[in-house]
Amino acid sequence: MARSMIEMASFAEKIYAVDLPPELAGFARRYEDMGGKRDVYLWKWCWDLQYARNPGFMLSSVPEKYRRDAALAKSLLGMAATFIDDVSDTLKDKNLLDAILMIPFDGECTLPDDLGERGYLRAMLVRDTLLTAHEVLAAGPRWEEFRTALYYDLGQTRNSFVYAYLVNTHPELMNITESRIYTSHTMMFYIFADIDAIFSPSLDIEEAPKLREAIWHAQQMSRIGNCVSTWEREVRDEDVTSGVVGYGMSTGVIRPADLREIGRAEKKREIIALLTENRVEENLFRDWEQNRQRIIEVGKEIRSVDIDRYLEGIEMVMLYYLSSRGKGSAI
């Protein structure tokens, strides 16, 4: 996983040069106009990553004619999740979060009257992004077959935002075990796999159990990349949902009292110093390698998807995260 600073800088330069498709660019502008803090790098690397076929973050079972639609649907849902993540992790606005999480994926909705102008605009942005994604997905060749799994996995991601709000308002509850279970769903790997399945006429449904097991480990790997690239910024933003913080809490490097005082600038610096000095990130890198080995084992029983190429894509995700460190990246 070690990458030179020059290689990562070159990679970041490549991503900044990516042109967003118009469907994504419009939502990115709306987000920026309402004061969104995410760097445009995020939207560009999401699109570049989702559209890639070599090394293969997109399942190899998606034929070329469906490549753009699959990538567009995944990027749109990734955007919507990021908009919601801002509400749960940064704004910590429970009223707005509850309203947004009630927005259906596939239809109109009535929003509460007490969201305020900014809250209403944020909710409408989420709604419009979801509806656009639904329009793309409903035209997929296996929409009827896989939409139930997609709706279930969307529910898991919604729950991850509720969990994020819980631990950000009650930080003494944070621990690494629940962090692995709940916050990993913000990575949306099951959702992305569902979308690829919707656009995969040749995918063998008999291999779905093993494929979903592989996806679990891939999702954990992605979450680790997210954690190591964002945790310092998140601590400064008083967001305690990172697995780095979870490991720190579970191993006693930091205490609940530390997180309850995270609003003080000197306490933030102390928490970052403690987690850095105790090399907590190394625990996550070991987890990353263990999950990688498990994908290799499970992949031996999967034939309709090239798991070796998919694993190369997951490794590429780690490079995306490491290159985005300090750029307000990722959900």
Side-chain angles (χ1 to χ4, degrees), residues 85-134:
D85 186 68
D86 282 355
V87 175
S88 64
D89 289 355
T90 304
L91 298 178
K92 300 181 178 68
D93 186 333
K94 185 62 161 59
N95 185 51
L96 178 57
L97 179 62
D98 287 343
I100 287 177
L101 292 179
M102 291 299 292
I103 295 174
F105 178 50
D106 56 358
E108 296 296 327
C109 66
T110 301
L111 294 169
D113 296 328
D114 60 349
L115 298 181
E117 181 179 1
R118 288 181 179 274
Y120 179 78
L121 289 174
R122 283 182 180 271
M124 289 296 291
L125 178 59
V126 172
R127 188 205 69 169
D128 293 347
T129 310
L130 291 175
L131 284 176
T132 304
H134 180 266

Tab-separated table of all heavy atoms in Angstrom, residues 85-134:
chain	number	residue	atom	x	y	z
A	85	ASP	N	-24.514	13.058	4.745
A	85	ASP	CA	-23.411	12.950	5.694
A	85	ASP	C	-23.064	14.310	6.298
A	85	ASP	O	-22.772	14.413	7.491
A	85	ASP	CB	-22.190	12.370	4.973
A	85	ASP	CG	-21.039	12.076	5.908
A	85	ASP	OD1	-21.173	11.166	6.739
A	85	ASP	OD2	-19.996	12.748	5.803
A	86	ASP	N	-23.122	15.358	5.494
A	86	ASP	CA	-22.874	16.708	6.009
A	86	ASP	C	-23.851	17.062	7.125
A	86	ASP	O	-23.488	17.706	8.109
A	86	ASP	CB	-23.012	17.744	4.887
A	86	ASP	CG	-21.789	17.791	3.974
A	86	ASP	OD1	-20.812	17.082	4.270
A	86	ASP	OD2	-21.824	18.529	2.978
A	87	VAL	N	-25.098	16.636	6.955
A	87	VAL	CA	-26.132	16.966	7.940
A	87	VAL	C	-25.905	16.200	9.241
A	87	VAL	O	-26.032	16.756	10.339
A	87	VAL	CB	-27.536	16.664	7.379
A	87	VAL	CG1	-28.610	16.899	8.438
A	87	VAL	CG2	-27.807	17.518	6.146
A	88	SER	N	-25.538	14.906	9.145
A	88	SER	CA	-25.386	14.090	10.357
A	88	SER	C	-24.072	14.338	11.072
A	88	SER	O	-24.018	14.346	12.310
A	88	SER	CB	-25.509	12.605	10.009
A	88	SER	OG	-24.463	12.185	9.157
A	89	ASP	N	-22.989	14.576	10.312
A	89	ASP	CA	-21.661	14.666	10.921
A	89	ASP	C	-21.221	16.093	11.228
A	89	ASP	O	-20.546	16.319	12.231
A	89	ASP	CB	-20.614	14.033	10.001
A	89	ASP	CG	-20.734	12.523	9.942
A	89	ASP	OD1	-21.563	11.975	10.685
A	89	ASP	OD2	-20.007	11.900	9.167
A	90	THR	N	-21.555	17.042	10.357
A	90	THR	CA	-21.058	18.412	10.507
A	90	THR	C	-22.122	19.337	11.090
A	90	THR	O	-21.901	19.994	12.114
A	90	THR	CB	-20.570	18.958	9.155
A	90	THR	OG1	-19.573	18.064	8.615
A	90	THR	CG2	-19.949	20.343	9.321
A	91	LEU	N	-23.296	19.379	10.440
A	91	LEU	CA	-24.364	20.244	10.946
A	91	LEU	C	-24.982	19.689	12.222
A	91	LEU	O	-25.456	20.447	13.076
A	91	LEU	CB	-25.442	20.427	9.879
A	91	LEU	CG	-25.007	21.098	8.572
A	91	LEU	CD1	-26.184	21.164	7.609
A	91	LEU	CD2	-24.443	22.477	8.829
A	92	LYS	N	-25.025	18.360	12.327
A	92	LYS	CA	-25.640	17.681	13.490
A	92	LYS	C	-27.057	18.201	13.736
A	92	LYS	O	-27.467	18.485	14.850
A	92	LYS	CB	-24.775	17.851	14.740
A	92	LYS	CG	-23.365	17.288	14.610
A	92	LYS	CD	-22.580	17.481	15.897
A	92	LYS	CE	-21.183	16.886	15.793
A	92	LYS	NZ	-20.310	17.601	14.863
A	93	ASP	N	-27.809	18.321	12.639
A	93	ASP	CA	-29.170	18.851	12.679
A	93	ASP	C	-30.142	17.674	12.624
A	93	ASP	O	-30.439	17.152	11.545
A	93	ASP	CB	-29.386	19.804	11.493
A	93	ASP	CG	-30.729	20.521	11.523
A	93	ASP	OD1	-31.684	19.962	12.097
A	93	ASP	OD2	-30.810	21.630	10.967
A	94	LYS	N	-30.623	17.241	13.781
A	94	LYS	CA	-31.472	16.048	13.844
A	94	LYS	C	-32.796	16.252	13.120
A	94	LYS	O	-33.304	15.342	12.462
A	94	LYS	CB	-31.744	15.686	15.314
A	94	LYS	CG	-32.516	14.378	15.520
A	94	LYS	CD	-31.740	13.186	14.988
A	94	LYS	CE	-32.243	11.863	15.566
A	94	LYS	NZ	-33.647	11.599	15.294
A	95	ASN	N	-33.384	17.415	13.223
A	95	ASN	CA	-34.659	17.679	12.554
A	95	ASN	C	-34.512	17.564	11.047
A	95	ASN	O	-35.326	16.913	10.371
A	95	ASN	CB	-35.165	19.069	12.931
A	95	ASN	CG	-36.547	19.351	12.363
A	95	ASN	OD1	-37.467	18.563	12.524
A	95	ASN	ND2	-36.698	20.493	11.699
A	96	LEU	N	-33.461	18.173	10.511
A	96	LEU	CA	-33.221	18.105	9.069
A	96	LEU	C	-32.852	16.681	8.663
A	96	LEU	O	-33.319	16.186	7.628
A	96	LEU	CB	-32.116	19.086	8.672
A	96	LEU	CG	-31.714	19.096	7.196
A	96	LEU	CD1	-32.912	19.384	6.297
A	96	LEU	CD2	-30.595	20.118	6.964
A	97	LEU	N	-32.041	16.001	9.466
A	97	LEU	CA	-31.653	14.624	9.150
A	97	LEU	C	-32.881	13.716	9.090
A	97	LEU	O	-33.036	12.926	8.152
A	97	LEU	CB	-30.667	14.103	10.196
A	97	LEU	CG	-30.191	12.656	10.009
A	97	LEU	CD1	-29.437	12.498	8.706
A	97	LEU	CD2	-29.319	12.222	11.191
A	98	ASP	N	-33.772	13.836	10.064
A	98	ASP	CA	-34.985	13.011	10.069
A	98	ASP	C	-35.821	13.260	8.820
A	98	ASP	O	-36.361	12.320	8.213
A	98	ASP	CB	-35.822	13.309	11.310
A	98	ASP	CG	-35.210	12.737	12.582
A	98	ASP	OD1	-34.342	11.856	12.478
A	98	ASP	OD2	-35.609	13.175	13.677
A	99	ALA	N	-35.935	14.528	8.427
A	99	ALA	CA	-36.733	14.873	7.241
A	99	ALA	C	-36.116	14.283	5.980
A	99	ALA	O	-36.822	13.705	5.129
A	99	ALA	CB	-36.853	16.387	7.119
A	100	ILE	N	-34.785	14.401	5.850
A	100	ILE	CA	-34.113	13.897	4.655
A	100	ILE	C	-34.193	12.377	4.572
A	100	ILE	O	-34.392	11.804	3.495
A	100	ILE	CB	-32.647	14.383	4.632
A	100	ILE	CG1	-32.593	15.882	4.300
A	100	ILE	CG2	-31.825	13.599	3.613
A	100	ILE	CD1	-31.200	16.477	4.328
A	101	LEU	N	-34.052	11.709	5.712
A	101	LEU	CA	-34.084	10.250	5.692
A	101	LEU	C	-35.471	9.695	5.389
A	101	LEU	O	-35.613	8.506	5.079
A	101	LEU	CB	-33.576	9.693	7.025
A	101	LEU	CG	-32.087	9.929	7.307
A	101	LEU	CD1	-31.696	9.349	8.659
A	101	LEU	CD2	-31.221	9.327	6.205
A	102	MET	N	-36.491	10.536	5.447
A	102	MET	CA	-37.845	10.121	5.084
A	102	MET	C	-38.120	10.305	3.593
A	102	MET	O	-39.160	9.881	3.092
A	102	MET	CB	-38.870	10.912	5.900
A	102	MET	CG	-38.896	10.564	7.385
A	102	MET	SD	-39.317	8.826	7.682
A	102	MET	CE	-41.034	8.812	7.131
A	103	ILE	N	-37.204	10.930	2.878
A	103	ILE	CA	-37.404	11.146	1.444
A	103	ILE	C	-37.354	9.796	0.727
A	103	ILE	O	-36.374	9.067	0.847
A	103	ILE	CB	-36.329	12.087	0.870
A	103	ILE	CG1	-36.463	13.483	1.471
A	103	ILE	CG2	-36.417	12.147	-0.655
A	103	ILE	CD1	-35.357	14.444	1.072
A	104	PRO	N	-38.393	9.431	-0.006
A	104	PRO	CA	-38.379	8.131	-0.703
A	104	PRO	C	-37.422	8.152	-1.879
A	104	PRO	O	-37.134	9.204	-2.454
A	104	PRO	CB	-39.834	7.971	-1.169
A	104	PRO	CG	-40.335	9.376	-1.311
A	104	PRO	CD	-39.642	10.180	-0.238
A	105	PHE	N	-36.932	6.975	-2.223
A	105	PHE	CA	-35.995	6.851	-3.334
A	105	PHE	C	-36.682	7.019	-4.683
A	105	PHE	O	-36.062	7.479	-5.642
A	105	PHE	CB	-35.314	5.480	-3.241
A	105	PHE	CG	-34.353	5.187	-4.354
A	105	PHE	CD1	-33.363	6.092	-4.708
A	105	PHE	CD2	-34.428	3.991	-5.048
A	105	PHE	CE1	-32.474	5.818	-5.735
A	105	PHE	CE2	-33.538	3.701	-6.075
A	105	PHE	CZ	-32.556	4.613	-6.415
A	106	ASP	N	-37.950	6.682	-4.735
A	106	ASP	CA	-38.598	6.559	-6.039
A	106	ASP	C	-39.880	7.366	-6.194
A	106	ASP	O	-40.757	6.998	-6.971
A	106	ASP	CB	-38.908	5.090	-6.312
A	106	ASP	CG	-39.751	4.472	-5.206
A	106	ASP	OD1	-40.060	5.167	-4.223
A	106	ASP	OD2	-40.096	3.286	-5.335
A	107	GLY	N	-40.012	8.468	-5.465
A	107	GLY	CA	-41.234	9.234	-5.630
A	107	GLY	C	-41.183	10.602	-4.982
A	107	GLY	O	-40.191	10.977	-4.368
A	108	GLU	N	-42.265	11.349	-5.142
A	108	GLU	CA	-42.358	12.674	-4.560
A	108	GLU	C	-42.566	12.574	-3.049
A	108	GLU	O	-42.946	11.533	-2.523
A	108	GLU	CB	-43.526	13.441	-5.203
A	108	GLU	CG	-43.339	13.709	-6.678
A	108	GLU	CD	-42.166	14.607	-6.977
A	108	GLU	OE1	-41.878	15.499	-6.144
A	108	GLU	OE2	-41.518	14.408	-8.022
A	109	CYS	N	-42.324	13.679	-2.365
A	109	CYS	CA	-42.506	13.690	-0.924
A	109	CYS	C	-42.904	15.091	-0.481
A	109	CYS	O	-42.674	16.073	-1.189
A	109	CYS	CB	-41.236	13.264	-0.202
A	109	CYS	SG	-39.870	14.419	-0.395
A	110	THR	N	-43.500	15.167	0.684
A	110	THR	CA	-43.847	16.453	1.285
A	110	THR	C	-42.884	16.712	2.433
A	110	THR	O	-42.793	15.910	3.371
A	110	THR	CB	-45.293	16.431	1.822
A	110	THR	OG1	-46.183	16.147	0.738
A	110	THR	CG2	-45.643	17.776	2.445
A	111	LEU	N	-42.159	17.809	2.358
A	111	LEU	CA	-41.173	18.129	3.378
A	111	LEU	C	-41.818	18.940	4.495
A	111	LEU	O	-42.769	19.686	4.254
A	111	LEU	CB	-40.019	18.922	2.764
A	111	LEU	CG	-39.161	18.164	1.739
A	111	LEU	CD1	-38.224	19.130	1.020
A	111	LEU	CD2	-38.368	17.058	2.415
A	112	PRO	N	-41.319	18.811	5.727
A	112	PRO	CA	-41.857	19.614	6.836
A	112	PRO	C	-41.695	21.109	6.582
A	112	PRO	O	-40.839	21.536	5.801
A	112	PRO	CB	-41.003	19.163	8.034
A	112	PRO	CG	-40.427	17.853	7.639
A	112	PRO	CD	-40.256	17.893	6.158
A	113	ASP	N	-42.509	21.904	7.247
A	113	ASP	CA	-42.478	23.353	7.048
A	113	ASP	C	-41.416	24.052	7.897
A	113	ASP	O	-41.193	25.257	7.733
A	113	ASP	CB	-43.846	23.964	7.396
A	113	ASP	CG	-44.949	23.465	6.465
A	113	ASP	OD1	-44.634	23.194	5.285
A	113	ASP	OD2	-46.100	23.335	6.925
A	114	ASP	N	-40.785	23.330	8.809
A	114	ASP	CA	-39.895	23.981	9.770
A	114	ASP	C	-38.414	23.755	9.477
A	114	ASP	O	-37.571	23.822	10.382
A	114	ASP	CB	-40.207	23.499	11.184
A	114	ASP	CG	-40.040	21.985	11.336
A	114	ASP	OD1	-39.890	21.300	10.299
A	114	ASP	OD2	-40.055	21.510	12.490
A	115	LEU	N	-38.057	23.502	8.219
A	115	LEU	CA	-36.657	23.241	7.893
A	115	LEU	C	-35.849	24.520	7.674
A	115	LEU	O	-34.618	24.482	7.710
A	115	LEU	CB	-36.559	22.371	6.627
A	115	LEU	CG	-37.195	20.981	6.704
A	115	LEU	CD1	-36.991	20.248	5.394
A	115	LEU	CD2	-36.621	20.182	7.864
A	116	GLY	N	-36.526	25.628	7.445
A	116	GLY	CA	-35.810	26.850	7.104
A	116	GLY	C	-35.368	26.803	5.654
A	116	GLY	O	-35.370	25.750	5.003
A	117	GLU	N	-34.947	27.956	5.124
A	117	GLU	CA	-34.593	28.022	3.702
A	117	GLU	C	-33.404	27.123	3.377
A	117	GLU	O	-33.431	26.359	2.409
A	117	GLU	CB	-34.272	29.459	3.308
A	117	GLU	CG	-33.925	29.600	1.825
A	117	GLU	CD	-33.629	31.033	1.421
A	117	GLU	OE1	-33.678	31.925	2.300
A	117	GLU	OE2	-33.330	31.261	0.241
A	118	ARG	N	-32.340	27.184	4.181
A	118	ARG	CA	-31.154	26.378	3.904
A	118	ARG	C	-31.458	24.882	4.023
A	118	ARG	O	-31.023	24.077	3.207
A	118	ARG	CB	-30.020	26.768	4.850
A	118	ARG	CG	-29.390	28.122	4.551
A	118	ARG	CD	-28.248	28.422	5.514
A	118	ARG	NE	-27.619	29.692	5.228
A	118	ARG	CZ	-26.641	29.868	4.351
A	118	ARG	NH1	-26.188	28.831	3.672
A	118	ARG	NH2	-26.126	31.052	4.143
A	119	GLY	N	-32.214	24.533	5.059
A	119	GLY	CA	-32.564	23.133	5.238
A	119	GLY	C	-33.420	22.619	4.094
A	119	GLY	O	-33.224	21.493	3.615
A	120	TYR	N	-34.364	23.440	3.660
A	120	TYR	CA	-35.225	23.045	2.546
A	120	TYR	C	-34.408	22.821	1.272
A	120	TYR	O	-34.615	21.837	0.549
A	120	TYR	CB	-36.284	24.117	2.311
A	120	TYR	CG	-37.213	23.823	1.158
A	120	TYR	CD1	-38.261	22.915	1.289
A	120	TYR	CD2	-37.031	24.444	-0.078
A	120	TYR	CE1	-39.103	22.631	0.227
A	120	TYR	CE2	-37.867	24.171	-1.151
A	120	TYR	CZ	-38.912	23.268	-0.990
A	120	TYR	OH	-39.743	22.990	-2.053
A	121	LEU	N	-33.457	23.717	1.011
A	121	LEU	CA	-32.624	23.583	-0.188
A	121	LEU	C	-31.784	22.311	-0.132
A	121	LEU	O	-31.605	21.624	-1.137
A	121	LEU	CB	-31.727	24.812	-0.354
A	121	LEU	CG	-32.430	26.106	-0.755
A	121	LEU	CD1	-31.442	27.277	-0.740
A	121	LEU	CD2	-33.070	25.978	-2.143
A	122	ARG	N	-31.256	21.997	1.051
A	122	ARG	CA	-30.476	20.768	1.195
A	122	ARG	C	-31.356	19.538	0.966
A	122	ARG	O	-30.956	18.588	0.275
A	122	ARG	CB	-29.839	20.697	2.582
A	122	ARG	CG	-28.619	21.587	2.761
A	122	ARG	CD	-27.998	21.429	4.141
A	122	ARG	NE	-26.845	22.283	4.295
A	122	ARG	CZ	-25.602	21.943	3.980
A	122	ARG	NH1	-25.374	20.742	3.468
A	122	ARG	NH2	-24.594	22.777	4.162
A	123	ALA	N	-32.551	19.543	1.542
A	123	ALA	CA	-33.456	18.410	1.374
A	123	ALA	C	-33.858	18.241	-0.091
A	123	ALA	O	-33.920	17.115	-0.602
A	123	ALA	CB	-34.692	18.602	2.254
A	124	MET	N	-34.118	19.347	-0.781
A	124	MET	CA	-34.491	19.272	-2.191
A	124	MET	C	-33.338	18.757	-3.043
A	124	MET	O	-33.542	18.027	-4.023
A	124	MET	CB	-34.941	20.651	-2.679
A	124	MET	CG	-36.280	21.105	-2.125
A	124	MET	SD	-37.647	20.022	-2.664
A	124	MET	CE	-37.713	20.437	-4.412
A	125	LEU	N	-32.119	19.119	-2.665
A	125	LEU	CA	-30.957	18.621	-3.400
A	125	LEU	C	-30.855	17.107	-3.265
A	125	LEU	O	-30.619	16.397	-4.256
A	125	LEU	CB	-29.686	19.299	-2.867
A	125	LEU	CG	-28.367	18.858	-3.510
A	125	LEU	CD1	-28.370	19.114	-5.009
A	125	LEU	CD2	-27.185	19.582	-2.845
A	126	VAL	N	-31.054	16.591	-2.058
A	126	VAL	CA	-31.043	15.142	-1.856
A	126	VAL	C	-32.167	14.485	-2.656
A	126	VAL	O	-31.958	13.481	-3.358
A	126	VAL	CB	-31.181	14.804	-0.365
A	126	VAL	CG1	-31.370	13.295	-0.174
A	126	VAL	CG2	-29.949	15.272	0.416
A	127	ARG	N	-33.368	15.051	-2.564
A	127	ARG	CA	-34.507	14.466	-3.272
A	127	ARG	C	-34.260	14.393	-4.775
A	127	ARG	O	-34.482	13.360	-5.420
A	127	ARG	CB	-35.777	15.289	-3.012
A	127	ARG	CG	-37.045	14.635	-3.553
A	127	ARG	CD	-38.135	15.637	-3.833
A	127	ARG	NE	-37.788	16.487	-4.970
A	127	ARG	CZ	-38.643	17.306	-5.576
A	127	ARG	NH1	-39.893	17.388	-5.157
A	127	ARG	NH2	-38.260	18.052	-6.593
A	128	ASP	N	-33.786	15.481	-5.361
A	128	ASP	CA	-33.583	15.521	-6.813
A	128	ASP	C	-32.478	14.565	-7.250
A	128	ASP	O	-32.564	13.946	-8.323
A	128	ASP	CB	-33.246	16.950	-7.251
A	128	ASP	CG	-34.411	17.909	-7.056
A	128	ASP	OD1	-35.544	17.431	-6.824
A	128	ASP	OD2	-34.190	19.136	-7.123
A	129	THR	N	-31.443	14.430	-6.432
A	129	THR	CA	-30.362	13.502	-6.761
A	129	THR	C	-30.864	12.065	-6.726
A	129	THR	O	-30.562	11.258	-7.621
A	129	THR	CB	-29.188	13.674	-5.772
A	129	THR	OG1	-28.841	15.055	-5.667
A	129	THR	CG2	-27.968	12.906	-6.247
A	130	LEU	N	-31.655	11.729	-5.704
A	130	LEU	CA	-32.215	10.381	-5.603
A	130	LEU	C	-33.143	10.070	-6.776
A	130	LEU	O	-33.094	8.972	-7.355
A	130	LEU	CB	-32.977	10.222	-4.287
A	130	LEU	CG	-32.144	10.201	-3.004
A	130	LEU	CD1	-33.062	10.163	-1.787
A	130	LEU	CD2	-31.192	9.017	-2.988
A	131	LEU	N	-33.995	11.016	-7.126
A	131	LEU	CA	-34.940	10.781	-8.226
A	131	LEU	C	-34.215	10.570	-9.552
A	131	LEU	O	-34.602	9.722	-10.362
A	131	LEU	CB	-35.913	11.957	-8.337
A	131	LEU	CG	-37.022	12.022	-7.286
A	131	LEU	CD1	-37.846	13.287	-7.462
A	131	LEU	CD2	-37.921	10.793	-7.358
A	132	THR	N	-33.143	11.333	-9.769
A	132	THR	CA	-32.375	11.166	-11.009
A	132	THR	C	-31.731	9.793	-11.056
A	132	THR	O	-31.729	9.121	-12.098
A	132	THR	CB	-31.304	12.267	-11.121
A	132	THR	OG1	-31.928	13.551	-11.045
A	132	THR	CG2	-30.563	12.159	-12.451
A	133	ALA	N	-31.185	9.352	-9.914
A	133	ALA	CA	-30.584	8.013	-9.852
A	133	ALA	C	-31.640	6.942	-10.124
A	133	ALA	O	-31.381	5.966	-10.849
A	133	ALA	CB	-29.934	7.797	-8.488
A	134	HIS	N	-32.831	7.124	-9.560
A	134	HIS	CA	-33.894	6.142	-9.759
A	134	HIS	C	-34.286	6.032	-11.225
A	134	HIS	O	-34.523	4.924	-11.743
A	134	HIS	CB	-35.117	6.505	-8.914
A	134	HIS	CG	-36.255	5.556	-9.068
A	134	HIS	ND1	-37.281	5.763	-9.965
A	134	HIS	CD2	-36.516	4.363	-8.462
A	134	HIS	CE1	-38.126	4.757	-9.897
A	134	HIS	NE2	-37.693	3.898	-8.994
